[in-house]
């Protein structure tokens, strides 16, 4: 075996490599700049310090454009940094939840996830790089801050230029290289096997299979993202679904077919239309590009909000074998998520946590065995089986619950609302605004919210009046390591329990995206349309923030 030598390549820093809510996300063309990807990957290894030597790292991504080039750089940089082994999905493909699972079951040092998640792909769109720690979860703020600091000072990266990566990750198998006198191993694995086994451990596949063949008619939409191969293996091969009728868009495409691989009513419209048009469908579901998000629809495209989905699953965990075996610890949701799960936690006597936006904030609570189930309004649901949200897991959880209760999706929701009341929720996104306007809006709003006299003020619209109880900028103290996350969103809490939340997105790749979250609760009046119920609060939010004046936008780009 030819002996390979590492070299040190001089480089100059970029000043924009700050990871956001979940990793570094930029346009592909930004990552393609000379040394841009290399600098960031080396900065990850630099931040790991002495843990890199002899480390084992999982590498995988959602199949988007630039994945293979990025992996080629990662292999050459890892080899030069004395990593002992990389575990890479075949063709570089592994869903985000499956990376988390692989890190945990192989007890690796960590993982590098190559995805911009729900952002569009292709040469003119987005790419992303994220580091996950040994617990399988996205690196916490202290680690990503360190990566950013190091990226601003980087002077060189290590590289093995002669290591041939061409064709290396296309076939399953193990290749060993000699680099600087040490062994460096690249193990290429089946992208789905570990994950399928995990799901079989968690759920009763026998019962779900019976349901799917009843026939309970499902339509699972992979939106041309990474989940295609997982869906075919799990829903078609294992659970007996019909490949022509029950699954769609399962071919992973570099540009996701030119669409946003984002499972919501706007971007998964083709699923909504199909489930509406064909009333034989009992459940529709879609996933995002990297497979960690999910959307659940019932018959006639009856929409389940992610906040309700979380609450329903929380209320029915006993029919899922994993929870029967391991017990149910606490529940959590991100701050902007509507509070439906809070009431379930209260009734069941479970501990409950409200965390900032981003899955990384759930990890410590799970590691400390205080959290079993959590979710975000942004179509994320998951449990402590891994440390990422998990789209396929959420659909399997729903199918297990439907089989157990022998009720339709809509019946389950109606029963839930009868018991707990209903949270109405909507999110308005104003994507790619000009940065200055968005920042000025947030600054002006924050000074208003925190000024004396704001509490107690009344706001009215369409005949409804709301009185302010609290106005603040959300900050969070991690109950486990006491780390503090500040500036996590401006909140206005009204006396009747309704809420407005304003945040700037941390996942966009250009400009600023303003998110407005509106949430209110009705004890009994739950048959109404969410957008009607929330209209007065939306008006108040727009007026209070002077959003149109600051951003120049008179309508959101997406409503969820
Ligand atoms: C968004 C969502 C957040 C989610 C994050 C990553 O972040 O609001 O809830 O955790 O995306 O999801 P932001 O900062 O843009 O609001 V995924 O599926 O992109 O990794
Ligand atoms: Co995602």
């Amino acid at each position: 075996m030819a002996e390979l030598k590492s070299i040190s390549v001089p480089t100059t820093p970029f000043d924009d490599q700050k990871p956001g809510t979940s990793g570094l996300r930029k346009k592909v063309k930004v990552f393609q700049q000379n040394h841009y990807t290399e600098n960031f990957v080396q900065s990850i290894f630099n931040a790991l310090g002495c843990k890199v030597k002899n480390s084992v790292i999982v590498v995988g991504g959602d199949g988007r454009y630039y994945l293979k080039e990025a992996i080629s750089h990662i292999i050459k940089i890892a080899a030069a940094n004395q990593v002992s082994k990389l575990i890479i999905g075949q063709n570089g493909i592994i869903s985000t939840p499956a990376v988390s699972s692989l890190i945990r079951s192989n007890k690796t040092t960590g993982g590098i996830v190559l995805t911009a998640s729900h952002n569009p792909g292709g040469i003119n769109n987005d790419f992303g790089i994220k580091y996950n720690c040994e617990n399988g979860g996205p690196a916490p703020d202290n680690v990503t801050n360190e990566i950013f600091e190091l990226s601003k000072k980087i002077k060189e990266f290590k590289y093995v230029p002669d290591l041939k990566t061409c064709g290396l990750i296309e076939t399953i198998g193990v290749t060993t290289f000699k680099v600087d006198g040490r062994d460096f191993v690249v193990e290429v694995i089946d992208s789905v096997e570990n994950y399928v086994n995990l799901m079989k451990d968690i759920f009763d596949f026998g019962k779900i299979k019976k349901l799917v063949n009843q026939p309970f008619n499902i339509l699972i939409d992979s939106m041309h993202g990474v989940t295609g191969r997982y869906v075919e293996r799990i829903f078609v091969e294992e659970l007996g679904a019909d490949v022509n009728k029950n699954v769609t868009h399962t071919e992973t495409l570099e540009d996701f077919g030119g669409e946003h691989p984002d499972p919501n009513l706007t971007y998964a419209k083709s699923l909504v239309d199909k489930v509406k048009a064909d009333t034989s469908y009992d459940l529709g579901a879609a996933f995002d590009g990297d497979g960690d998000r999910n959307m659940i629809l019932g018959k006639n495209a009856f929409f389940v909000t992610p906040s309700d989905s979380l609450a329903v699953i929380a209320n029915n965990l006993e029919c899922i074998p994993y929870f029967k075996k391991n017990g149910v610890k606490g529940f959590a949701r991100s701050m902007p998520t509507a509070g439906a799960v809070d009431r379930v936690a209260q009734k069941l006597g479970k501990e409950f946590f409200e965390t900032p936006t981003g899955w990384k904030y759930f990890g410590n609570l799970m590691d400390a065995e205080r959290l079993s189930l959590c979710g975000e309004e942004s179509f994320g649901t998951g449990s402590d089986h891994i440390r990422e949200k998990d789209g396929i897991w959420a659909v399997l959880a729903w199918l297990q619950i439907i089989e157990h209760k022998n009720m339709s999706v809509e019946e389950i929701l109606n029963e839930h609302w009868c018991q707990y009341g209903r949270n109405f929720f909507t999110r308005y996104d104003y994507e790619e605004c000009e940065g200055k306007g968005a920042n000025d809006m947030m600054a002006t709003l924050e000074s208003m919210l925190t000024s004396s006299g704001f509490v107690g003020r009344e706001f009215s619209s369409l005949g409804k009046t709301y009185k302010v109880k609290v106005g603040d900028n959300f900050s969070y103290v991690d109950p486990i390591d006491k780390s503090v996350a500040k500036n996590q969103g401006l909140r206005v809490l009204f006396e009747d329990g309704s809420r407005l939340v304003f945040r700037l997105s941390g996942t966009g790749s250009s400009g600023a995206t303003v998110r407005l979250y509106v949430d209110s609760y009705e004890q009994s009046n739950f048959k109404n349309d969410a957008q009607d119920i929330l209209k007065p609060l939306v008006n108040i939010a727009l007026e209070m923030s002077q959003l149109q004046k600051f951003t120049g936008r008179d309508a959101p780009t997406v409503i969820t």
Side-chain angles (χ1 to χ4, degrees):
M1 182 193 321
E3 168 97 21
L4 297 164
K5 286 247 167 304
S6 69
I7 58 167
S8 173
V9 182
T11 188
T12 46
F14 295 87
D15 60 6
D16 65 345
Q17 298 196 323
K18 187 174 171 50
T21 310
S22 201
L24 181 70
R25 293 185 190 172
K26 300 279 176 198
K27 294 282 178 212
V28 165
K29 293 206 164 125
V30 173
F31 278 100
Q32 282 174 328
Q33 293 171 89
N34 195 29
H35 294 180
Y36 192 91
T37 299
E38 297 91 315
N39 275 15
F40 189 69
V41 172
Q42 181 66 55
S43 299
I44 292 175
F45 289 134
N46 289 348
L48 293 177
C50 57
K51 281 196 223 155
V52 180
K53 195 172 174 181
N54 299 326
S55 61
V56 180
I57 308 265
V58 179
V59 181
D62 59 12
R64 70 179 59 227
Y65 187 84
Y66 194 62
L67 176 64
K68 288 201 169 167
E69 291 87 332
I71 291 185
S72 174
H73 285 313
I74 291 170
I75 294 171
K76 293 173 183 190
I77 297 170
N81 279 275
Q82 307 192 350
V83 168
S84 77
K85 180 175 170 183
L86 293 180
I87 299 175
I88 307 180
Q90 189 176 17
N91 292 310
I93 288 183
I94 315 180
S95 75
T96 294
V99 172
S100 188
S101 174
L102 282 163
I103 295 171
R104 295 170 66 77
S105 24
N106 291 288
K107 297 200 167 42
T108 72
T109 316
I112 297 177
V113 195
L114 302 162
T115 174
S117 190
H118 54 287
N119 296 10
I123 188 162
N124 293 315
N125 285 304
D126 293 3
F127 191 72
I129 304 183
K130 168 165 92 159
Y131 183 71
N132 281 28
C133 297
E134 63 194 335
N135 72 348
D141 289 332
N142 62 331
V143 177
T144 54
N145 290 340
E146 177 71 3
I147 295 171
F148 179 47
E149 289 310 315
L150 292 167
S151 77
K152 290 189 288 191
K153 299 191 288 224
I154 190 166
K155 291 201 175 74
E156 56 170 41
F157 60 86
K158 301 189 183 108
Y159 210 67
V160 183
D162 299 329
L163 195 157
K164 295 265 171 301
T165 55
C166 186
L168 180 61
I169 59 172
E170 272 138 46
T171 334
I172 293 173
V174 178
T175 312
T176 305
F177 299 90
K178 267 271 181 255
V179 178
D180 298 335
R182 307 162 54 91
D183 280 354
F184 171 68
V185 178
V186 172
E187 181 180 356
V188 177
I189 58 160
D190 178 307
S191 315
V192 297
E193 189 177 311
N194 167 279
Y195 182 81
V196 175
N197 291 335
L198 177 68
M199 292 302 114
K200 281 176 154 175
D201 272 355
I202 293 173
F203 297 103
D204 184 334
F205 268 42
K207 285 187 176 162
I208 299 178
K209 188 169 183 172
K210 244 199 260 147
L211 174 76
V212 173
N213 292 295
Q214 210 178 44
F216 179 88
N217 211 1
I218 58 175
L219 183 56
I220 310 288
D221 188 343
S222 291
M223 300 188 85
H224 291 304
V226 73
T227 57
R229 67 207 63 218
Y230 295 81
V231 162
E232 285 183 352
R233 191 96 140 235
I234 292 175
F235 291 94
V236 179
E237 282 174 38
E238 294 285 342
L239 298 172
D242 182 328
V243 73
N244 297 313
K245 208 174 71 182
N246 297 131
V247 303
T248 182
H249 302 137
T250 51
E251 189 192 353
T252 306
L253 298 177
E254 278 189 344
D255 67 348
F256 310 113
E259 309 277 335
H260 286 245
D262 196 355
N264 58 43
L265 295 176
T266 305
Y267 293 126
K269 191 168 179 302
S270 93
L271 174 75
V272 176
D273 290 347
K274 268 188 223 157
V275 174
K276 253 191 202 149
D278 184 343
T279 52
S280 76
Y281 282 120
D282 299 292
L283 177 133
F287 309 112
D288 70 338
D290 64 327
D292 55 358
R293 298 184 176 204
N294 75 93
M295 175 174 76
I296 303 286
L297 303 172
K299 216 183 222 340
N300 297 311
F302 173 86
F303 174 61
V304 183
T305 70
S307 308
D308 278 342
S309 175
L310 173 64
V312 166
I313 296 173
N315 202 33
N316 290 286
L317 286 179
E318 71 283 349
C319 68
I320 299 172
Y322 175 88
F323 295 103
K324 235 189 245 162
K325 184 166 151 226
N326 299 307
V328 179
K329 293 132 201 164
F331 300 138
R333 62 166 169 80
S334 66
M335 181 273 283
T337 304
V341 72
D342 310 22
R343 271 175 279 281
V344 178
Q346 200 180 19
K347 170 166 167 273
L348 301 181
K350 300 291 177 195
E351 207 176 4
F352 165 75
F353 306 92
E354 183 179 36
T355 56
T357 295
W359 210 261
K360 58 189 168 195
Y361 296 104
F362 296 127
N364 272 351
L365 294 165
M366 289 182 175
D367 292 347
E369 303 202 350
R370 286 173 67 179
L371 176 57
S372 291
L373 177 82
C374 51
E376 295 191 277
E377 51 62 43
S378 53
F379 299 82
T381 325
S383 93
D384 61 352
H385 64 291
I386 52 171
R387 296 293 180 272
E388 290 275 10
K389 53 189 182 272
D390 191 343
I392 289 179
W393 176 93
V395 174
L396 292 171
W398 265 94
L399 291 174
Q400 192 89 78
I401 291 167
I402 289 166
E403 191 279 332
H404 177 74
K405 294 180 85 81
N406 194 20
M407 288 163 75
S408 73
V409 173
E410 187 165 352
E411 284 164 359
I412 291 174
L413 261 299
N414 277 316
E415 181 192 68
H416 192 90
W417 294 332
C418 275
Q419 185 180 0
Y420 289 103
R422 177 175 173 188
N423 279 81
F424 288 88
F425 177 87
T426 190
R427 178 174 116 182
Y428 281 34
D429 291 337
Y430 300 82
E431 295 172 317
E432 298 194 21
C433 293
E434 191 241 316
K436 183 172 181 315
N439 287 320
D440 288 351
M441 184 196 95
M442 292 296 280
T444 310
L445 187 60
E446 178 163 12
S447 61
M448 171 178 169
L449 256 56
T450 50
S451 65
S452 65
F454 186 68
V455 171
R457 255 182 82 175
E458 290 186 349
F459 291 87
S460 301
S461 170
L462 304 172
K464 293 267 266 178
T465 298
Y466 300 85
K467 192 168 177 188
V468 176
K469 193 170 153 202
V470 178
D472 68 2
N473 191 335
F474 182 65
S475 83
Y476 174 71
V477 181
D478 184 295
I480 311 302
D481 67 11
K482 310 292 176 213
S483 58
V484 181
K486 288 192 180 143
N487 297 320
Q488 296 298 321
L490 301 177
R491 302 193 297 179
V492 181
L493 312 184
F494 295 106
E495 288 201 328
D496 74 336
S498 303
R499 300 189 308 165
L500 303 176
V501 176
F502 302 83
R503 267 184 79 246
L504 295 183
S505 156
T507 58
S509 61
S510 54
T513 291
V514 178
R515 303 206 195 285
L516 161 63
Y517 310 78
V518 183
D519 171 11
S520 97
Y521 173 73
E522 301 274 336
Q523 179 78 57
S524 50
N525 184 20
F526 54 73
K527 290 270 177 198
N528 292 36
D529 177 73
Q531 296 299 335
D532 288 345
I533 290 262
L534 297 171
K535 194 78 196 136
L537 284 163
V538 170
N539 290 345
I540 289 168
L542 295 177
E543 192 190 308
M544 189 187 284
S545 60
Q546 304 177 69
L547 186 138
Q548 183 166 3
K549 185 188 120 196
F550 280 106
T551 64
R553 299 293 177 84
D554 56 8
T557 26
V558 181
I559 297 181
T560 49

